Amino acid sequence: MPLKKQVLSGVFWTFSQQFGVQGISFLVSIILARLLQPEEFGLVAMIGIFMGIGAVLMDGGLGQSLIRTKNPDQEDFSTVFFFNLAGSIIMYGLVYLAAPLIADFFEREILINITRLYCLIFVFNAFSAVQVTRLTKKMDFKTQMFIKIPSLIISSAVGIFMAYSGFGVWSLVWMALIQAFLQSVQYWLWSQWRPSLVFSKKKFRNHFKFGLNLTMSGLLDVLFTNAYTIMIGKFFTATQLGYYNRADSLKQFPVKNIGVVLGKVTYPLFASIQEDTVRLKRVYAKIMKMVIYLVAPTLIFMAVLAEPLFRFLLTDKWLPAVPYFQILCVNGILYPINGYNLNILNVLGRSDLFLRLEIIKKALIVVVLAVSVNFGIFALLYGSVFTSIMAFFINTRYSGKFINYSAWEQTKDLAPYIGLALICGAILFMFDLLIPTAKNYDLVRLLLGSLVGCICYFGSSFLLKMSATSELILLIKRK
C-alpha cells in the first residue's frame, strides 16, 4: 500500500478506534460519576503513578525500538516478549510488597488491597505488548479497534453493575482489570504471531541501548505527570483529588481523540521517512497544524461552557471541579504538540537527547511545585499551565534543529489557530451571557453554544483560507 494511502487508512481506523473506545468510556464515566462519589475516584487516582511506573519499567522502551527497527525478525519480537513478561512479574511482586507503604503515604488503608489487585494489569498487558507493537508497526489500527471495543463494553457493563450494587471503588478496580484481561486474550486470538523459545542477548542489547534512555525519560514523565496527583492526594483531600481526576479526564477526552490518534500514526510514519528530513519537516508541520486546528477550539469552547457541561453530565455534586477543568483545558492545548516534537528525536535515534530534555523539564516542574504548593490547589494548576508552555519551547528548541523547524517558526504556524480559537471563545462567552432564557436549561446552552462556536471558528478559518482547513476538507473527501 502506498505510504500516503496507508497513512490515511491509519488515521481513519485510529480515529474510529479512538472515538469508539473513548466514546464508550466517556458514557461509562458519566454513569459511574453519577453512581459513585468523588472520593472513590480519588482513591484510584492515588495509585495511578505506580501503574505508570510499572508499565514503563515493564516495557523498557523496547516497543518503540521495534517500531523504528527496519525489518525486525522473530528473534527480535521473541526477545522483547520474554523481557516484557519477566519484567511484568517482577514489577507486580515489587508493587505487591510495597502496597502497605503506599497506603501509609496517602493514609488510606484500603489502598493495600486496591493496589495488589489493580496491578495485575501489568501481567495481562505484558502478554500482548508485542502483538500490539506489531499491529502498530504495520499501522493496522482496524484490528486494534475490533479488539478494544468489545473488551471495553463487557468490562464497562460489569463496572456499572457493581457500582449500582454498592461496591463503590471496587467497581472501578474490577472494570479496569477485566478490560485488560479481555484485551490480552483477544490480541492472542487475532494476532498471527506467536513467540519462539529464543532470547538473543545481542538483539536485547541493541533494543535495550535505544530503550534505556526512553525508559528513564518515561519514568521521569510518569513521575512528574502524576506529581500533581501525588501532591493533591498527600496535602489535600481525596475528594479534591477526585475533582481533579474527573476534570483532567474530561479534558483528556478531546486531547486523546484528536492528538493521541494522530500520535499513534505519526511515530511509525515518521520512522518510515526518518532519512528524508525535508519531507519529515513538511509532514510534521501539516500534522501539527491539523492537531492544533482541532484541539484548541474544542478545549477553549469546553472551558467556556464548563458549568452547564459538568452539571448536565455529572450532576451538581461535581460543580466544584469546574474551575479545575477550565485551567486544565488551557494546559492541554500544547500537550499533543510536545509529544510530536519528542517523536522526532526518537525516530532519529536521539533518545539520549530525549532523556536530557526530560530531565530539564522535570527540574522545572520540581521548582514550580515547590513554590506553588504553599499557595493552594489552584496555584498548582496554574503552575501546570506555565510548565506546559515552557516545555513547548524546550522541546522545539532542540527537535527543530534536526528538521530545520525552529521554535519561532513553529510558534508562527500555531499562533493563528490558537488566536482564532481564543477570539471565538470570547464571542461564545458573550453569547452565553446574553441568553438568559436558557440559563436554567443546560442542554440548550450546550447545543446553542457549540453551534455558535463551531460556526464562528470553522467559518472564519474557511474565509481566512487557513491551510489546516483545506487539509481537513481533503481528508474528509478522500474518506
Side-chain angles (χ1 to χ4, degrees):
M1 182 185 294
L3 180 61
K4 192 170 186 179
K5 187 175 181 181
Q6 189 178 18
V7 171
L8 289 174
S9 176
V11 169
F12 174 78
W13 284 111
T14 309
F15 262 109
S16 299
Q17 176 198 143
Q18 198 70 23
F19 274 102
V21 170
Q22 291 299 315
I24 296 170
S25 297
F26 183 65
L27 292 175
V28 171
S29 69
I30 292 172
I31 297 171
L32 291 174
R34 288 170 172 265
L35 294 172
L36 301 174
Q37 297 302 314
E39 181 181 6
E40 291 166 327
F41 285 93
L43 288 171
V44 173
M46 287 176 181
I47 64 171
I49 184 172
F50 304 103
M51 293 298 300
I53 290 174
V56 170
L57 290 176
M58 179 191 72
D59 179 68
L62 305 190
Q64 291 193 56
S65 181
L66 285 173
I67 291 175
R68 72 176 297 276
T69 300
K70 292 189 177 296
N71 303 316
D73 56 24
Q74 180 69 3
E75 273 195 345
D76 288 286
F77 292 118
S78 296
T79 298
V80 171
F81 172 82
F82 287 113
F83 174 80
N84 285 343
L85 184 58
S88 70
I89 295 172
I90 293 172
M91 277 308 307
Y92 178 73
L94 292 174
V95 172
Y96 186 93
L97 295 174
L101 299 177
I102 296 171
D104 288 343
F105 178 81
F106 288 110
E107 299 178 356
R108 296 288 192 281
E109 187 177 353
I110 192 175
L111 286 178
I112 296 176
N113 292 329
I114 290 176
T115 302
R116 287 175 171 174
L117 182 60
Y118 203 99
C119 288
L120 282 171
I121 291 175
F122 293 156
V123 182
F124 296 152
N125 287 343
F127 271 103
S128 57
V130 170
Q131 283 88 340
V132 175
T133 297
R134 286 172 56 86
L135 292 172
T136 301
K137 187 175 179 65
K138 294 187 295 183
M139 293 190 183
D140 184 0
F141 300 106
K142 179 179 179 180
T143 299
Q144 294 187 51
M145 182 187 75
F146 288 116
I147 289 173
K148 288 188 175 182
I149 290 182
S151 303
L152 177 60
I153 291 173
I154 295 172
S155 61
S156 297
V158 173
I160 292 171
F161 174 78
M162 292 184 68
Y164 182 78
S165 301
F167 284 90
V169 66
W170 295 105
S171 59
L172 299 174
V173 175
W174 278 103
M175 183 175 68
L177 199 64
I178 291 171
Q179 183 181 352
F181 174 76
L182 292 177
Q183 283 184 180
S184 183
V185 171
Q186 287 190 88
Y187 275 116
W188 273 80
L189 294 176
W190 284 69
S191 175
Q192 300 300 314
W193 181 81
R194 296 291 182 271
S196 301
L197 293 176
V198 294
F199 186 92
S200 170
K201 293 182 180 178
K202 180 180 179 181
K203 300 279 188 181
F204 175 75
R205 281 194 297 268
N206 289 336
H207 293 299
F208 187 76
K209 182 179 179 181
F210 175 82
L212 179 61
N213 290 320
L214 292 185
T215 299
M216 299 304 296
S217 302
L219 288 174
L220 287 172
D221 186 59
V222 168
L223 180 62
F224 288 95
T225 297
N226 287 276
Y228 294 93
T229 298
I230 296 172
M231 298 295 282
I232 296 171
K234 179 63 177 176
F235 295 105
F236 301 93
T237 67
T239 298
Q240 286 176 296
L241 180 55
Y243 291 143
Y244 171 81
N245 176 258
R246 285 298 87 195
D248 188 56
S249 297
L250 189 57
K251 178 264 294 185
Q252 284 291 92
F253 183 71
V255 172
K256 284 184 176 180
N257 279 307
I258 299 171
V260 176
V261 164
L262 293 177
K264 288 182 179 180
V265 178
T266 55
Y267 187 73
L269 169 63
F270 291 163
S272 68
I273 57 174
Q274 60 185 282
E275 296 174 358
D276 188 346
T277 55
V278 175
R279 189 181 181 192
L280 187 58
K281 175 186 175 180
R282 185 173 66 250
V283 171
Y284 172 75
K286 284 185 178 182
I287 290 175
M288 182 184 69
K289 286 187 282 189
M290 176 67 73
V291 170
I292 286 295
Y293 177 69
L294 297 173
V295 168
T298 303
L299 288 176
I300 290 171
F301 296 167
M302 288 175 70
V304 172
L305 299 171
E307 181 185 334
L309 180 66
F310 269 72
R311 187 164 45 231
F312 177 72
L313 293 178
L314 306 177
T315 71
D316 288 345
K317 69 182 177 183
W318 288 96
L319 284 180
V322 166
Y324 298 19
F325 175 73
Q326 291 171 324
I327 299 170
L328 290 172
C329 280
V330 179
N331 179 26
I333 292 175
L334 293 176
Y335 178 81
I337 303 303
N338 287 331
Y340 299 157
N341 269 281
L342 295 177
N343 273 349
I344 296 294
L345 298 178
N346 286 339
V347 298
L348 295 176
R350 292 305 306 271
S351 59
D352 58 326
L353 184 55
F354 183 108
L355 175 59
R356 197 181 311 162
L357 294 184
E358 288 300 294
I359 292 174
I360 294 172
K361 289 182 292 183
K362 292 349 177 194
L364 175 64
I365 291 176
V366 169
V367 174
V368 172
L369 282 172
V371 173
S372 61
V373 71
N374 298 310
F375 298 95
I377 191 169
F378 288 106
L380 284 174
L381 298 178
Y382 283 118
S384 73
V385 176
F386 173 75
T387 55
S388 176
I389 295 172
M390 294 304 299
F392 169 76
F393 288 105
I394 293 171
N395 290 335
T396 54
R397 171 70 177 83
Y398 291 93
S399 63
K401 287 183 178 181
F402 292 99
I403 57 175
N404 193 29
Y405 197 20
S406 67
W408 173 239
E409 191 176 356
Q410 291 191 43
T411 302
K412 288 194 299 181
D413 284 344
L414 296 178
Y417 299 99
I418 298 176
L420 180 60
L422 288 171
I423 292 171
C424 292
I427 294 172
L428 174 57
F429 177 77
M430 295 302 297
F431 174 81
D432 189 57
L433 288 178
L434 297 175
I435 50 171
T437 56
K439 289 299 180 183
N440 296 323
Y441 300 94
D442 293 324
L443 181 59
V444 174
R445 290 176 67 185
L446 292 171
L447 293 176
L448 286 176
S450 299
L451 181 62
V452 169
C454 289
I455 291 174
C456 178
Y457 183 77
F458 293 110
S460 299
S461 67
F462 181 78
L463 293 175
L464 293 172
K465 298 181 179 179
M466 290 182 158
S467 60
T469 310
S470 303
E471 290 291 333
L472 181 61
I473 292 172
L474 287 174
L475 181 63
I476 294 172
K477 286 182 177 179
R478 285 169 183 154
K479 281 297 173 186

